[in-house]
Amino acid sequence: MKKFLIFLIIVTSPSYAEADKNQNIIPKWEISDKEGFLENLTWKKVEKPLLKFSNIINKKYKFESDVKALGRSVTLNDFYYPEISNYVPNAYVESSNKSITAFVRGLSKTRFCQGENFSKTCRDGIFDVDFNLINYDKFSFNPKLTIQSLSDRGTKFGEASSLGFKSALKISPKWSLAFGGENIIHFDNKSDLGRNFYLVGSTFYPLNSKEKPAILFLNAGIGSDFYGYGGNGYIARTSCLGTPNLTGEGTDFCNWGPIGSITIAFNDRISLINEWFGYGYGTGISYRPLKESSLAFSIYATDYIRNFPNYIKDHCQNDSCETRLYGGISFSF
């Protein structure tokens, strides 16, 4: 009988800290039998409660999410994620765990070319390298080198090179703002990518509470020249600091227009992306094949909606554009 009482008392004694309605921690108590076999039963106070009130009573757990950029890809709490856009910049502060992001973008055909997709005379590509020059938790500044000529199609390898930048600021746990420019300083007069300043904001919404959750990413803002090309929603016209450019018509003044992207990252390996980048509209996927690597591949389709944007019908064969493909490979180290 005594053995049964001992077992009963031990099992029914409190095993966790409890809390009152004012969320005060009530310390744990345990049995102390100093005088012998339950002759004088007393209770001893344990100074350190085992669990916090929020974990015991409410069963609610807070998950902090910190998104940083790796070029057009991102990290979440230092876990690599794929691209969330290809042409449209994101506003996130660059990750402090990288020094350089290298990115190659390929294009199956330029819109003005009269040949076929992937033909030697029509395909194109660029090589981007951005450097993590200044990096803090809430601010980063990255210069970006672009080499447009990767073949001898009209220009020698390495020509049409230019320099841009991205400055990003984290303004709240979920919102970031960036001002930057693509191809702003030209090293020769052969670049035809435009002088593309931009101002964008980015936010994100985790869709579940997994360690590597599905996430909705939103980027939106305005941009000049390539981003303000044609009939994509003209906003303004300002100096873009030089020629050659795409929309200046011989002057250094360029058009500005809206840009944006919406992306669902289903997990840390694959994402579905829609982006409006001024020159056109693209839909694609990005895939990160290696679990512990930032390496990401992407492929997109553009000009697949007939005569959208409307102005493109004036630049394609037979007044109608055919679907073109673009995509890239990126790696940060």
Side-chain angles (χ1 to χ4, degrees), residues 70-73 82-90 102-107 125-126 128 144 182 198 219 226-227 259-263 271-277 280-287 296-302 325-330:
L70 293 172
R72 298 301 201 255
S73 300
E83 275 186 7
I84 62 170
S85 62
N86 190 276
Y87 276 113
V88 177
N90 66 66
F103 173 65
V104 177
R105 177 187 291 124
L107 184 66
I126 64 164
D128 286 333
K144 179 178 179 180
E182 310 273 344
Y198 61 83
N219 299 320
F226 180 82
Y227 297 135
I259 56 176
S261 67
I262 179 169
T263 299
S271 59
L272 174 64
I273 304 156
N274 287 277
E275 63 176 1
W276 173 261
F277 51 89
Y281 173 79
T283 298
I285 60 172
S286 178
Y287 177 63
F297 298 87
S298 64
I299 185 166
Y300 298 73
T302 187
L325 302 176
Y326 66 96
I329 303 172
S330 65

Side-chain angles (χ1 to χ4, degrees), residues 3 5 22 28 32 46 59 82 88 183 211 226:
K3 290 182 178 179
L5 287 173
N22 295 319
K28 176 189 170 185
S32 177
V46 176
K59 299 294 184 185
V88 177
N183 321 310
E211 185 180 39
F226 180 82

